[in-house]
Amino acid sequence: MMASVELGGTKCVCLLGRGPDEIAEQRRIPTEAPERTLAAIEAVLDRWREAEDGFSALGIASFGPIDIDRSSPGWGRMKATTKPGWQGADIAGRLERRYAVPTAFDTDVNGAALAEGLWGAARGLDSFAYVTVGTGVGVGIVCGGRPIGGFSHPEAGHVRVARAPGDDWPGFCSFHGGCVEGLASGPAIEARLGHPAAEAPADHPVWRLVAHTLAQLCHGLALVAAPRRILLGGGVMEAQPHLFPRIREALAASLADYFPLPPGDYVVAPGLGGLAGPCGGIALAQGVLSGGKGNMGHDG
């Protein structure tokens, strides 16, 4: 058995298992202050460790930005973040010291991407991108079966994109204002509306703006990384499936027949649905067992 911790901006999901078809137990914990959240995670993992089989590896897939460089003195910690109180929080180091098993640490979106490559809608593909649209907007780009990166992991949710004509709303991101996350994340949509996004019907004008923003993100991904498929997941996409055809239409218009995309739907939902994130930690744990690294390798 392997243990997975998916640490999100709103909730944390702990999972014990070997993959989406072999889940022994799953627990949800609200993401609150770091000490309270990590103590709650440890309470779950402690019980699993004391069970008969325990767990042989731990995969931590966290919201970011995080330090995933094993050679860095800040490895395993949260870096600058929009989540109050979390900057500098020691996540992976604390859990690795406590459980003394091979421990992998990467972004939640990279974990979900790897899970989709193993078991989901990207199975069999050598390159693809996974985008999560929820509390934030995160992007994982996989090439040759490995997430790409360099001095850090990509943060494509914070790129600035071409705005829809007439849209001058300043955006919600505390760092960049009208970046993708500042325009299309769940909190950004609610801030623009002034009420919960769930109360906006499918024909509300806000969804045209959200679809435009996400299509612009897909435009950039297609031109820069040329992934064979783009998967759009997260709470916003799960709750608003009508966004998919709008995004595809806006993407086609934006690319303007510059080059042909692969046949079939290019922008799709994750095959694992809500399990993509929780199984991301299992995918990371599998990687650390097979590769012997404390974090998944990245192609630069």
Side-chain angles (χ1 to χ4, degrees):
M1 287 289 177
M2 289 165 282
S4 165
V5 174
E6 181 202 13
L7 181 58
T10 303
K11 70 179 184 304
C12 171
V13 180
C14 300
L15 187 149
L16 180 69
R18 297 185 180 90
D21 297 324
E22 294 185 80
I23 298 175
E25 190 173 345
Q26 185 174 336
R27 292 286 305 277
R28 293 192 175 207
I29 297 164
T31 303
E32 301 174 313
E35 181 57 38
R36 184 167 182 173
T37 303
L38 291 170
I41 291 170
E42 289 169 343
V44 173
L45 296 180
D46 284 353
R47 183 167 57 82
W48 290 348
R49 177 179 59 177
E50 294 162 5
E52 182 178 352
D53 294 331
F55 51 86
S56 57
L58 171 63
I60 307 164
S62 174
F63 72 93
I66 54 177
D67 191 336
I68 59 173
D69 181 0
R70 265 283 187 179
S71 65
S72 166
W75 175 81
R77 292 181 178 270
M78 189 71 65
K79 297 200 287 190
T81 178
T82 56
K83 185 72 173 174
W86 277 87
Q87 184 167 335
D90 183 12
I91 302 166
R94 169 174 171 160
L95 296 180
E96 183 181 55
R97 290 189 295 271
R98 187 178 185 92
Y99 298 106
V101 296
T103 300
F105 184 57
D106 211 322
T107 64
D108 50 358
V109 70
N110 276 345
L114 291 169
E116 285 291 328
L118 287 173
W119 306 295
R123 190 171 183 176
L125 298 180
D126 59 352
S127 69
F128 59 94
Y130 181 96
V131 181
T132 182
V133 187
T135 305
V137 176
V139 180
I141 303 171
V142 172
C143 183
R146 299 165 71 86
I148 66 170
F151 70 91
S152 184
H153 50 81
E155 280 288 340
H158 286 272
V159 299
R160 294 186 174 95
V161 296
R163 303 286 293 269
D167 181 17
D168 58 0
W169 186 63
F172 189 70
C173 176
S174 59
F175 289 92
H176 312 115
C179 61
V180 174
E181 181 169 300
L183 297 173
S185 66
I189 297 168
E190 294 191 4
R192 187 196 285 264
L193 288 169
H195 57 74
E199 296 177 6
D203 60 354
H204 193 286
V206 74
W207 300 121
R208 178 184 64 84
L209 301 175
V210 171
H212 173 89
T213 298
L214 295 176
Q216 285 293 296
L217 173 61
C218 292
H219 177 125
L221 291 172
L223 293 178
V224 171
R228 297 187 184 277
R229 188 171 297 158
I230 298 176
L231 284 57
L232 290 183
V236 171
M237 298 306 301
E238 291 173 15
Q240 309 294 337
H242 61 85
L243 286 172
F244 280 98
R246 296 184 181 196
I247 293 168
R248 294 177 189 128
E249 181 180 359
L251 173 60
S254 184
L255 288 174
D257 295 324
Y258 178 67
F259 66 8
L261 294 174
D265 284 337
Y266 185 64
V267 177
V268 302
L272 297 176
L275 280 177
C279 285
I282 299 296
L284 291 170
Q286 283 194 6
V288 76
L289 282 178
S290 63
K293 296 179 181 180
N295 59 281
M296 292 297 295
H298 290 70
D299 288 335

